Amino acid sequence: MKTIRESGVLCHISSLPGKYGIGSLGKEAYRFAKSLAKCGVKYWQVLPLVQTGFGNSPYSSVSCTSGNPYFIDLELLAAQGLITREELRGAEKKGEIDYAALYAERYPLLRKAFSRFFFDSEEFRAYVKSGVSEDYALFMTAKTVFGGGFTDWEEGIRDRDPEALERLRTDHHEEYLFWNFLQYEFTLQWTALKDFCNARGVKLIGDIPLYAAYDSADVWANPELFKLDKKRKPVKVAGVPPDYFSPTGQLWGNPVYDWKAHEKQDFCWWKARLRHALEIYDTVRIDHFRGIDRYYEIPFGDETAENGVWQDGPKEKLFAGIDKSSVIAEDLGTIDDGVRALLDRTGFSGMKVLLFAFDGNPDNPFLPENIGENSVCYTGTHDNDTVSGYLETLTAEEFILFRSRVAASLEKSGVAVPLGKKGENFPKAFVHLAMSTASRLAVIPIQDALGLNNSARMNFPGRQDGNWQFRLEKQPSSGAWKNLKKIVKLYRR
């Protein structure tokens, strides 16, 4: 059977243009989806849609299955009579995302919307009764009432005593309903957008971070599934060992899973998480896939990752019954034979990133000519420089060498895109190279599709501030979409 060749664009919801400080699930998302469909692009990839936590990162959330309240479109709420035109005007804010301002202003506005919401409607009561947001709503209610992390709460709430939780739900019922309301509205808006995309032949790729944040409903509700002590404090935390780039390693701080406890429960928590992801997305990318083969754990309280040890993960047992075509494995970083064997056994598509290709090694697996069919090819990821931005990091000598290697690859791949002497056409060349590969799917970050520099970069790993702020000032021009359409057609994607 011949592999179907398809294309995608990576653009997180937060990066969409709009009037109200951050991208949303409103009209700009629909315009973006329409443009993808007109170009023949079959996939729209987003980052995790979850409510962001520490550092505003979509990879650190209060709940793995939550929806980000910031993405709830205000104009759609106004159409329901929940927000006034004056309040809409007051929420207008352009430019990069200012998370501090959003936190201070958006939640009070959403509370006003909730105050006008008829929460005794049959649909909303059914949603609350379903319990789909129960742990999240209770967690956020307790966080509002008690502050701090869950280990700071009164013992009955910390330990989830049923009577204490019932008192919390009853004594603070409106607060509990408010957090349910946010998830209800998010779900309605996301489902409508997904249906719109799917009806036009565009599928959604979403993202699952491997680890849960410590201060989260997930850890609070399932302490037995993580390596915690009797007081719910972590015993071991996640990270990666020292390497050339980081002599003390990376200390992420997430509590690691107790995989033996998961296995005793037939991995029901993880399977439910995967099922949820495959309900709201068409395809799921699993971040830090190597941690499912073996993971690195560090004693809690250590200030560096130097004293960690490798432990076996659940491997393919975690994915019993999962359709292999619906999963993309983020198999980047330090990859060994165990990860490669796991990828082969699951049949999942791995990732190939062109920005990692041109180190002069002819056997580099990211070189376009070395990429196989069962893969997803990217020019770069949300954690990398943009193509244009990468060129700006090179010295004159490094640029000459890099240019010669890219030119050689263009020639081998039969791609007729001339490279400028000062970096002109490099983003275009990388887009063509990604599309030309044998990969079943080529995904282009919107920054590279538009040739933007590092001012549009999404994330700088290890940097505490200034991440996740990029927004498009406006929708890509008709000329930019026409160029992408030509490339998609040229490479039969």
Side-chain angles (χ1 to χ4, degrees):
M1 246 175 93
K2 189 175 180 180
T3 301
I4 297 173
R5 292 167 55 80
E6 295 178 309
S7 60
V9 169
L10 168 59
C11 180
H12 194 34
I13 299 299
S14 64
S15 297
L16 293 170
K19 293 182 180 180
Y20 306 107
I22 191 169
S24 77
L25 303 175
K27 62 185 179 184
E28 297 291 353
Y30 285 82
R31 285 184 63 191
F32 193 82
K34 279 183 183 177
S35 297
L36 292 176
K38 286 180 181 177
C39 288
V41 172
K42 298 299 184 185
Y43 284 91
W44 178 359
Q45 181 168 347
V46 298
L47 303 183
L49 294 174
V50 291
Q51 178 174 318
T52 50
F54 177 76
N56 308 307
S57 170
Y59 294 88
S60 178
S61 177
V62 297
S63 169
C64 290
T65 55
S66 62
N68 194 335
Y70 293 154
F71 295 165
I72 297 171
D73 186 69
L74 299 181
E75 291 184 353
L76 290 174
L77 292 184
Q80 298 178 56
L82 303 181
I83 290 178
T84 68
R85 289 294 162 188
E86 185 178 349
E87 288 164 348
L88 274 181
R89 286 193 295 272
E92 290 185 8
K93 193 182 297 289
K94 293 195 174 182
E96 285 192 332
I97 302 165
D98 182 341
Y99 285 100
L102 267 179
Y103 183 79
E105 299 167 13
R106 185 58 57 87
Y107 281 106
L109 182 55
L110 290 171
R111 286 184 183 277
K112 285 183 180 179
F114 173 66
S115 73
R116 299 162 184 149
F117 176 69
F118 179 57
F119 52 78
D120 201 33
S121 70
E122 186 177 339
E123 293 83 0
F124 182 64
R125 282 191 288 111
Y127 178 84
V128 175
K129 189 176 181 180
S130 74
V132 66
S133 296
E134 179 72 358
D135 288 336
Y136 164 86
L138 285 171
F139 180 84
M140 293 306 299
T141 300
K143 208 163 183 60
T144 305
V145 172
F146 300 108
F150 68 85
T151 54
D152 302 318
W153 301 343
E154 64 178 53
E155 188 175 330
I157 302 298
R158 182 198 69 190
D159 296 342
R160 291 177 58 87
D161 175 75
E163 289 185 5
L165 291 183
E166 184 55 36
R167 283 195 304 272
L168 178 70
R169 193 184 293 108
T170 302
D171 294 349
H172 304 279
H173 195 57
E174 281 206 14
E175 187 69 19
Y176 166 76
L177 290 180
F178 169 68
W179 295 105
N180 270 287
F181 162 76
L182 295 184
Q183 295 306 304
Y184 174 73
E185 289 292 339
F186 174 90
T187 300
L188 288 178
Q189 291 190 10
W190 173 256
T191 301
L193 177 61
K194 182 178 183 293
D195 289 346
F196 180 88
C197 292
N198 289 170
R200 284 154 184 79
V202 176
K203 297 178 182 179
L204 279 299
I205 300 175
D207 210 323
I208 289 187
L210 177 62
Y211 290 114
Y214 174 55
D215 187 23
S216 68
D218 307 291
V219 177
W220 175 61
N222 305 280
E224 74 282 2
L225 299 179
F226 299 85
K227 291 188 177 180
L228 309 178
D229 64 20
K230 292 180 180 179
K231 294 183 179 180
R232 306 289 199 269
K233 296 283 188 180
V235 175
K236 305 287 184 181
V237 295
V240 290
D243 58 20
Y244 176 80
F245 299 102
S246 179
T248 60
Q250 294 181 39
L251 183 62
W252 297 340
N254 308 73
V256 296
Y257 297 109
D258 183 338
W259 285 118
K260 290 181 179 178
H262 279 269
E263 188 166 11
K264 286 179 182 177
Q265 296 183 12
D266 193 28
F267 303 103
C268 61
W269 182 85
W270 250 97
K271 288 178 180 178
R273 190 181 176 200
L274 283 168
R275 280 197 305 272
H276 170 79
L278 289 170
E279 286 171 3
I280 65 171
Y281 308 119
D282 298 294
T283 297
V284 173
R285 190 197 84 127
I286 299 178
D287 192 56
H288 196 58
F289 182 78
R290 75 103 51 252
I292 295 168
D293 176 59
R294 288 194 308 148
Y295 63 97
Y296 193 70
E297 66 175 22
I298 304 147
F300 177 68
D302 279 17
E303 294 183 359
T304 73
E306 294 170 280
N307 297 321
V309 295
W310 287 102
Q311 301 282 9
D312 280 340
K315 306 183 189 299
E316 65 268 27
K317 289 181 287 188
L318 192 62
F319 304 112
I322 298 295
D323 177 9
K324 67 180 182 181
S325 67
S326 64
V327 175
I328 298 168
E330 188 269 294
D331 57 338
L332 306 175
T334 304
I335 301 303
D336 56 26
D337 289 342
V339 185
R340 296 186 189 97
L342 177 60
L343 194 64
D344 186 59
R345 291 196 299 273
T346 60
F348 298 157
S349 296
M351 290 176 59
K352 305 297 180 184
V353 180
L354 296 188
L355 275 175
F356 302 160
F358 303 103
D359 60 358
N361 176 8
D363 297 321
N364 186 314
F366 300 110
L367 278 169
E369 56 267 31
N370 294 340
I371 294 174
E373 287 184 359
N374 191 27
S375 64
V376 181
C377 183
Y378 296 80
T379 53
T381 76
H382 62 273
D383 283 333
N384 303 135
D385 294 311
T386 67
V387 172
S388 179
Y390 177 71
L391 299 181
E392 296 171 359
T393 70
L394 302 178
T395 65
E397 293 77 12
E398 288 170 338
F399 173 75
I400 291 170
L401 185 58
F402 183 73
R403 184 185 183 281
S404 68
R405 290 169 177 168
V406 174
S409 195
L410 287 167
E411 185 176 354
K412 286 181 182 178
S413 302
V415 175
V417 177
L419 295 176
K421 292 183 179 180
K422 296 182 179 179
E424 305 94 331
N425 270 359
F426 267 80
K428 180 180 178 181
F430 269 64
V431 172
H432 275 262
L433 278 174
M435 295 285 193
S436 75
T437 64
S439 291
R440 67 173 183 85
L441 176 61
V443 177
I444 312 301
I446 192 64
Q447 293 92 328
D448 290 337
L450 300 177
L452 304 179
N453 62 23
N454 269 355
S455 64
R457 181 168 168 171
M458 198 65 172
N459 182 45
F460 292 79
R463 193 173 83 175
Q464 294 297 313
D465 301 311
N467 293 321
W468 318 110
Q469 293 179 304
F470 165 68
R471 288 184 74 202
L472 293 166
E473 292 182 7
K474 57 184 179 180
Q475 292 279 343
S477 67
S478 59
W481 288 122
K482 285 177 183 176
N483 287 336
L484 183 58
K485 182 176 182 178
K486 287 179 183 177
I487 297 171
V488 169
K489 188 174 181 180
L490 176 64
Y491 295 102
R492 297 181 175 85
R493 288 192 176 273

